[in-house]
Amino acid sequence: MPDGIEIVEVSPRDGLQNESLQVSTENKVSLIRHALAAGVRRIEVASFVNPAKVPQMADAEAVIAALPDTGAVYIGLVLNRRGAVRALETKVQQLGAVCVTTDSFAMRNQGQTSAQSLDIACDVVGAALAAGRSAQITIGAAFGCPFEGEVPHDRVIAMARRAAASGAVEVALADTIGVAVPAHVRALVTQVRGAIAPLPVRVHLHNTRNTGLANAWAAVEAGAATIDAAIGGLGGCPFAPGAAGNVPTEDVVYMLERSGIATGLDLDALIAGTTWFSGIMGRALPGMVSRAGRFPQAAISVLEGVEQ
Ligand code: ZN
């Protein structure tokens, strides 16, 4: 197992895009500030998509304009060239492009065939590099498609090879609809790592069928360098039927840190962020560590308990 792993916070984009409650620009900025306070160094802050289709992201430019310059890398998600133009007019340092493994899902998600989505993702990377920014490519529905079922590994590997050749800083495998299980994650991460090395593999996991944390563990074991996670386990995809939230950041951090794998993130600050955001959303969020609390408690509390 590695000594450490990177976590990319995705709650401000993937976490919120499926929420019907319109979160104010101010609260989105506060959510990002909570993540930064917890030590997050790379964070997906918005997506540049059609506001008519994803109203929650209509204030992408305003959110980004209000963000502090801390040295953390802000990612803007982009599904097409128009989105890339918008993103490059902001201060995001990294563009996140998305291609999808099947035509059925790619058409619903972004009005493109699978092949077109990969072409456009590679174009987005080129546009980012030309503008002096970095870019990464995520392969959506890498572990299964809601419309076409199982996705052949060979197709994912071929897409990953082309994505890697585009100049992207990493390639991500997304379990967009949350159907993956650890054996699948271990196999596909291992195969894609072999195909694109030395470029790193990131994973993006949804907990739709309660395998999210187990999949995160399998991804780390298989050598993924980075895991996407969302404070509180927010999330979902408006174009994927039944999709549930991302793996909760604080639950992933608890699991990994207690296993001796450093994340660089502060669990107490993440729990505070989740508690605050739960209040904004007016409901309990799916993550569990924020409800149960850390274990063991801080040393000082334990001592106090002994004295009593
Ligand atoms: Zn997602």
Side-chain angles (χ1 to χ4, degrees):
M1 296 297 282
D3 295 336
I5 192 147
E6 180 196 29
I7 292 181
V8 170
E9 178 62 35
V10 299
S11 56
R13 195 284 302 177
D14 205 31
L16 290 184
Q17 70 179 9
N18 209 32
E19 295 291 338
S20 49
L21 178 76
Q22 186 70 37
V23 177
S24 70
T25 304
E26 185 189 356
N27 282 334
K28 287 174 185 166
V29 173
S30 292
L31 175 62
I32 294 165
R33 284 183 176 275
H34 273 282
L36 294 170
V40 168
R41 302 298 297 156
R42 195 150 64 112
I43 179 164
E44 205 175 73
V45 292
S47 65
F48 295 90
V49 291
N50 185 345
K53 288 189 178 161
V54 189
Q56 188 71 264
M57 291 294 121
D59 60 351
E61 281 87 352
V63 168
I64 292 162
L67 295 181
D69 296 317
T70 63
V73 173
Y74 297 135
I75 305 166
L77 191 91
V78 163
L79 297 182
N80 53 40
R81 296 178 183 93
R82 195 181 320 138
V85 169
R86 278 179 63 196
L88 291 172
E89 284 170 358
T90 74
K91 65 181 177 185
V92 293
Q93 298 97 327
Q94 190 165 87
L95 268 53
V98 178
C99 58
V100 177
T101 56
T102 65
D103 289 339
S104 315
F105 195 20
M107 287 307 295
R108 280 178 177 80
N109 196 56
Q110 51 213 71
Q112 302 155 1
T113 65
S114 172
Q116 285 169 340
S117 74
L118 182 54
D119 287 343
I120 291 167
C122 292
D123 284 355
V124 166
V125 173
L129 296 180
R133 323 285 177 96
S134 64
Q136 27 107 337
I137 294 182
T138 297
I139 302 176
F143 297 92
C145 168
F147 311 108
E148 300 185 24
E150 299 279 10
V151 173
H153 288 207
D154 288 352
R155 188 189 305 171
V156 180
I157 293 163
M159 291 178 78
R161 278 209 176 90
R162 246 202 84 202
S166 70
V169 293
E170 73 193 352
V171 175
L173 302 174
D175 186 16
T176 314
I177 57 169
V179 291
V181 296
H184 194 174
V185 172
R186 189 176 300 114
L188 196 58
V189 168
T190 301
Q191 289 171 318
V192 170
R193 270 189 79 206
I196 70 168
L199 216 61
V201 173
R202 176 169 52 85
V203 290
H204 179 96
L205 305 165
H206 282 267
N207 196 33
T208 314
R209 291 169 177 81
N210 220 16
T211 54
L213 273 189
N215 291 340
W217 184 261
V220 174
E221 274 188 328
T226 305
I227 298 174
D228 284 358
I231 282 174
L234 277 166
C237 172
F239 309 106
N246 290 275
V247 285
T249 310
E250 63 279 8
D251 292 13
V252 174
V253 167
Y254 175 81
M255 174 180 75
L256 294 179
E257 294 274 348
R258 291 216 354 115
S259 304
I261 301 166
T263 62
L265 303 190
D266 181 319
L267 183 59
D268 292 326
L270 290 170
I271 290 173
T274 298
T275 304
W276 168 79
F277 203 65
S278 174
I280 298 296
M281 300 307 288
R283 62 179 166 86
L285 301 178
M288 298 186 75
V289 168
S290 61
R291 303 184 218 184
R294 68 150 61 240
F295 180 87
Q297 294 174 343
I300 184 125
S301 315
V302 173
L303 286 176
E304 281 167 359
V306 169
E307 282 173 15
Q308 286 159 9

